[in-house]
Amino acid sequence: MIKKTDLLSLLNTLNLPYCILNKTGVFVELNSKYCELYGYSSSELIGNHFTILFDMNCKENIEANNKHFDKELISKRFLNSFGKYKSFFLHPISYKEKDKLGNIFYIQILSLDFKDSNGEEYRLSIDCPVDKNDNVKLIESLIDNELFGFISFENLKKEVDNCIISTYNPKFALINIRLIDTIIDEEIKKEFLALIFSKLKEIFQNNGLIAYKSSKRYIILFREEVKRSKVEECCNQIIDYFSNAIVINNRFLKENIKIGISFYNKNKKLTVDELYKETEIALKFAKLNTIEIYNKKILAQQNQEIKLNTIIFNAYENNEFTAYLQPYFSLKTNKIVGMEALMRLISKEHGIINPCDFIPVLEKNSFIVKVEEELIKRIIIRIKKWKLIYKEIPPVAINLSAIQFKNIRFLEYLRNLLITYDFSGKSLVFEITESILMEDIELSKYMLREFRKMGIRISIDDFGTGYSSLLYLKEFPIDILKIDLSFIRDIHINKSNQAIVSAIILMAKKLGLKTICEGVEKVEELNELKRLDADIVQGYIFSKPLNKKEIKKYFE
Ligand code: G
Ligand code: G
Ligand code: MN
């Protein structure tokens, strides 16, 4: 436990605004810097509850989400969290404040709960004035204090450098810990981070130096001649801790984490930055809640990915994406009733590259918007050509990415396209996954109605795998449900798949929707679907996705 005398000498050297509150939140001590910051004298504050600053209009709102401070709530949270900041706790958000004259400034708060010699408990709060955008430097100088238990990333790098240069046979590990944010509530997050701080210290303080890079990033130098097994053991302790739900204020929370590790030995001859980069690469390949250790194989994977990205970007520049078409059939008439456009990238060197490899890359760069728009245009042109030759061309279903579906500009593009090519939307279907639809209900309704106005039909893709609520289904203007292939697989023997699919088919009929069963591969599956009175089927049993030459046989 930190002693008050140590604390006060630290505070004197820092020369920053601070106040000390007792257990009930009343100011018991503050320095002149604190008074200067807010513009009140110490006699105006001491003996009062800290929320007096709200009454005096000093606190504006929480910067991060513009939520207004609620005085009562804040007091309650103070009481709840009291005693939890056992070591210096840096609040992960900055606060917007006002001084007596109404000048606005920003602070970042560092808190510490401590006991004085007679056992009374207090909270120290250092209010560091920060630039709204650049608060790192000041905070780092604070973190670097040994009382805090962490050091800054910059100083950690110096330490690593020292190890590399000054030791004859340096052996150590650099550990890069990343939290994958799932907790949104800022207040809960604060308490959660306090737990992480103490956990990291508990596990690593004896073996290494812990650096705070941001509230989501911690870098650890695991010193001495470490054994791999020891490093892994410590990292696994952290992973284990995160694999359970954590309870804060009676709420169960689940946060995810990834760890990337690089081991150094003298054969590596790397600089600090190169070593850090290795941990970053390892992190990139680590799955959720696992550790990944940098090695040559990962490097090869990384290079492979860079190569693939180059191919994808070149294809983007040169407009090389094309659509294969997979027909689907009515079970009643056995006739083709539509076809799904499935994007392909045909590379001279690498053959056919599949959408699951390139679509995520395109989505990351928002290139997907242009690629899909171009694809729709080409499909329209192709159908128009075919319509001159064949009597009837079934509608084409196009998969829309999440970005496209939320892109209001896309509507304008579509309207123009249909006018320019004098093309009816009735020949198009859009496939949208149910998870995308559920992300923003109001926007989804709007987009779907606009598509409808153009005559385009809507199909819900991968139905059954997301979280859609039947209630919403009724409200959306939808035409087709595509039952995900995971429910079709072995449906002739899998009783639960039978139950699910038959329920979906019945429900769809009640709602006036058609169903398409995806991924039918076996005769037995097909027969079972007939028995369940399915409408439409798609799958390898009839046809794989085909190129524009191959598909024509279905129109003749
Ligand atoms: O056949 P296949 O491996 O092609 O498809 C893999 C996935 O890629 C499927 O989930 C499919 O919906 C998706 N996909 C195929 N073409 C497109 C497209 O043009 N746009 C989007 N967003 N997804 C597509
Ligand atoms: O997510 P979406 O439904 O758009 O993706 C359709 C995917 O299913 C494509 O990758 C397509 O190639 C694939 N597919 C189509 N028919 C079959 C099939 O019979 N079996 C399997 N395994 N996949 C199929
Ligand atoms: Mn689809």
Side-chain angles (χ1 to χ4, degrees):
M1 179 67 74
I2 293 164
K3 280 190 277 184
K4 193 176 176 189
T5 44
D6 286 344
L7 203 58
L8 290 177
S9 65
L10 162 71
L11 291 171
N12 285 333
T13 57
L14 288 174
N15 200 23
L16 281 162
Y18 75 83
C19 66
I20 294 176
L21 304 170
N22 71 12
K23 213 174 167 170
T24 56
V26 169
F27 286 110
V28 294
E29 211 174 303
L30 37 84
N31 66 352
S32 55
K33 281 258 170 193
Y34 195 87
C35 297
E36 265 169 51
L37 188 66
Y38 287 95
Y40 289 93
S41 69
S42 91
S43 60
E44 280 173 292
L45 298 174
I46 289 211
N48 287 304
H49 193 262
F50 75 94
T51 49
I52 190 177
L53 286 172
F54 294 76
D55 299 333
M56 300 193 300
N57 204 22
C58 282
K59 302 267 174 187
E60 268 257 306
N61 49 29
I62 295 178
E63 180 54 21
N65 51 11
N66 265 1
K67 225 167 33 187
H68 273 283
F69 266 127
D70 175 330
K71 213 174 100 176
E72 262 173 46
L73 193 67
I74 291 288
S75 308
K76 228 162 114 192
R77 280 181 180 153
F78 175 86
L79 294 175
N80 270 338
S81 68
F82 198 85
K84 288 192 181 146
Y85 303 153
K86 290 195 182 72
S87 56
F88 271 105
F89 176 67
L90 178 66
H91 295 237
I93 49 175
S94 53
Y95 298 94
K96 190 173 178 182
E97 314 270 311
K98 253 192 224 166
D99 68 10
K100 193 176 188 174
L101 300 173
N103 300 312
I104 288 174
F105 59 97
Y106 293 86
I107 58 162
Q108 189 114 26
I109 301 177
L110 198 65
S111 297
L112 176 71
D113 297 333
F114 65 95
K115 277 187 189 151
D116 79 356
S117 49
N118 46 26
E120 282 294 316
E121 288 175 277
Y122 296 98
R123 171 166 296 176
L124 165 74
S125 163
I126 304 177
D127 288 14
C128 321
V130 289
D131 191 320
K132 189 179 173 197
N133 302 315
D134 175 32
N135 50 30
V136 182
K137 286 272 166 325
L138 238 170
I139 300 301
E140 281 200 342
S141 69
L142 282 169
I143 288 169
D144 251 340
N145 200 285
E146 61 185 291
L147 281 179
F148 191 88
F150 289 7
I151 61 172
S152 69
F153 182 52
E154 284 313 310
N155 279 344
L156 183 97
K157 278 167 75 174
K158 282 183 202 144
E159 285 290 330
V160 175
D161 224 10
N162 267 339
C163 285
I164 294 175
I165 297 165
S166 64
T167 320
Y168 167 68
N169 185 6
K171 274 188 185 160
F172 59 88
L174 197 63
I175 304 170
N176 191 335
I177 300 182
R178 201 175 126 211
L179 306 187
I180 315 288
D181 243 345
T182 47
I183 298 174
I184 305 163
D185 186 307
E186 295 290 350
E187 284 301 322
I188 298 218
K189 201 191 263 175
K190 274 174 18 185
E191 298 196 17
F192 177 72
L193 286 176
L195 286 175
I196 295 171
F197 285 9
S198 55
K199 201 75 202 167
L200 285 176
K201 280 190 205 175
E202 179 192 317
I203 294 174
F204 289 106
Q205 209 160 28
N206 294 333
N207 301 300
L209 282 175
I210 313 169
Y212 173 99
K213 194 157 184 280
S214 73
S215 57
K216 296 178 195 167
R217 283 270 193 178
Y218 303 87
I219 318 295
I220 294 157
L221 166 61
F222 212 105
R223 278 193 298 205
E224 287 135 40
E225 298 233 341
V226 284
K227 285 211 181 76
R228 259 171 198 259
S229 55
K230 179 74 189 162
V231 175
E232 287 182 37
E233 184 194 313
C234 288
C235 290
N236 278 324
Q237 279 180 37
I238 288 283
I239 300 266
D240 283 349
Y241 180 69
F242 278 91
S243 59
N244 297 314
I246 294 162
V247 186
I248 296 175
N249 294 350
N250 297 322
R251 283 173 63 181
F252 284 85
L253 304 167
K254 181 79 183 79
E255 180 94 3
N256 294 308
I257 185 171
K258 286 182 178 187
I259 302 181
I261 307 172
S262 175
F263 286 93
Y264 191 90
N265 61 48
K266 70 176 177 194
N267 301 329
K268 271 203 168 175
K269 293 201 179 63
L270 296 181
T271 65
V272 167
D273 290 321
E274 287 164 338
L275 192 66
Y276 178 66
K277 214 165 170 186
E278 288 192 349
T279 67
E280 285 277 294
I281 293 172
L283 250 189
K284 220 178 117 195
F285 285 91
K287 296 198 181 66
L288 226 49
N289 301 318
T290 61
I291 55 182
E292 187 66 71
I293 298 167
Y294 178 87
N295 58 35
K296 292 238 165 65
K297 226 171 78 197
I298 287 189
L299 182 67
Q301 248 174 308
Q302 162 92 353
N303 288 338
Q304 191 62 31
E305 203 178 295
I306 292 172
K307 238 170 150 179
L308 180 67
N309 284 3
T310 314
I311 294 171
I312 294 169
F313 293 140
N314 282 338
Y316 174 73
E317 294 288 329
N318 302 326
N319 255 323
E320 285 171 357
F321 294 96
T322 160
Y324 271 41
L325 294 165
Q326 187 181 31
Y328 45 81
F329 301 88
S330 156
L331 267 184
K332 300 224 163 52
T333 62
N334 287 325
K335 284 207 176 108
I336 180 172
V337 287
M339 40 199 178
E340 178 176 7
L342 293 158
M343 220 195 296
R344 295 287 180 268
L345 170 52
I346 299 165
S347 145
K348 276 176 217 100
E349 297 167 64
H350 295 78
I352 295 184
I353 302 174
N354 274 321
C356 46
D357 292 320
F358 64 76
I359 287 186
V361 179
L362 292 175
E363 277 178 332
K364 241 191 222 155
N365 297 284
S366 296
F367 286 173
I368 189 77
V369 169
K370 256 183 84 184
V371 171
E372 278 180 356
E373 287 178 353
E374 182 64 27
L375 202 78
I376 297 172
K377 185 164 114 192
R378 291 199 198 170
I379 286 171
I380 289 180
I381 294 172
R382 203 187 290 169
I383 298 178
K384 275 188 74 108
K385 271 193 199 152
W386 283 336
K387 282 197 166 162
L388 297 176
I389 308 170
Y390 303 101
K391 216 167 60 212
E392 208 174 335
I393 303 297
V396 176
I398 294 160
N399 293 285
L400 289 191
S401 66
I403 306 175
Q404 192 75 275
F405 184 62
K406 291 175 184 165
N407 171 17
I408 305 222
R409 243 201 54 246
F410 177 53
L411 296 172
E412 203 49 42
Y413 175 85
L414 268 177
R415 283 188 206 106
N416 286 334
L417 204 62
L418 296 183
I419 293 168
T420 310
Y421 289 95
D422 185 23
F423 193 83
S424 160
K426 291 206 176 80
S427 297
L428 296 177
V429 179
F430 283 156
E431 290 193 9
I432 298 146
T433 64
E434 60 176 342
S435 38
I436 294 176
L437 273 185
M438 289 300 141
E439 275 170 28
D440 184 341
I441 307 282
E442 286 311 310
L443 180 64
S444 295
K445 273 191 209 162
Y446 175 74
M447 294 300 280
L448 295 185
R449 283 191 197 126
E450 293 301 312
F451 294 153
R452 230 325 137 79
K453 281 185 200 160
M454 294 181 233
I456 299 168
R457 271 168 290 170
I458 307 298
S459 176
I460 302 201
D461 211 354
D462 305 341
F463 187 75
T465 60
Y467 300 99
S468 62
S469 140
L470 292 180
L471 216 70
Y472 288 126
L473 274 189
K474 259 172 68 179
E475 287 185 41
F476 289 141
I478 289 165
D479 306 278
I480 304 159
L481 296 184
K482 287 195 89 170
I483 304 173
D484 191 68
L485 55 81
S486 58
F487 299 114
I488 306 302
R489 194 60 58 244
D490 292 325
I491 189 167
H492 54 293
I493 42 179
N494 184 323
K495 292 277 175 241
S496 66
N497 277 359
Q498 260 166 41
I500 293 166
V501 172
S502 86
I504 295 176
I505 291 174
L506 281 174
M507 175 194 82
K509 284 197 199 307
K510 278 235 159 69
L511 292 170
L513 307 175
K514 287 241 175 299
T515 45
I516 299 183
C517 298
E518 289 186 295
V520 185
E521 290 180 357
K522 300 177 190 149
V523 185
E524 294 88 340
E525 290 167 347
L526 182 64
N527 288 337
E528 182 60 26
L529 291 172
K530 280 182 185 155
R531 197 180 69 82
L532 296 178
D533 202 18
D535 299 313
I536 302 168
V537 282
Q538 174 179 357
Y540 295 161
I541 190 173
F542 302 102
S543 170
K544 298 210 150 151
L546 303 172
N547 68 27
K548 60 183 172 203
K549 278 204 190 100
E550 296 164 331
I551 190 82
K552 284 191 217 164
K553 66 174 181 233
Y554 288 103
F555 310 149
E556 276 153 2

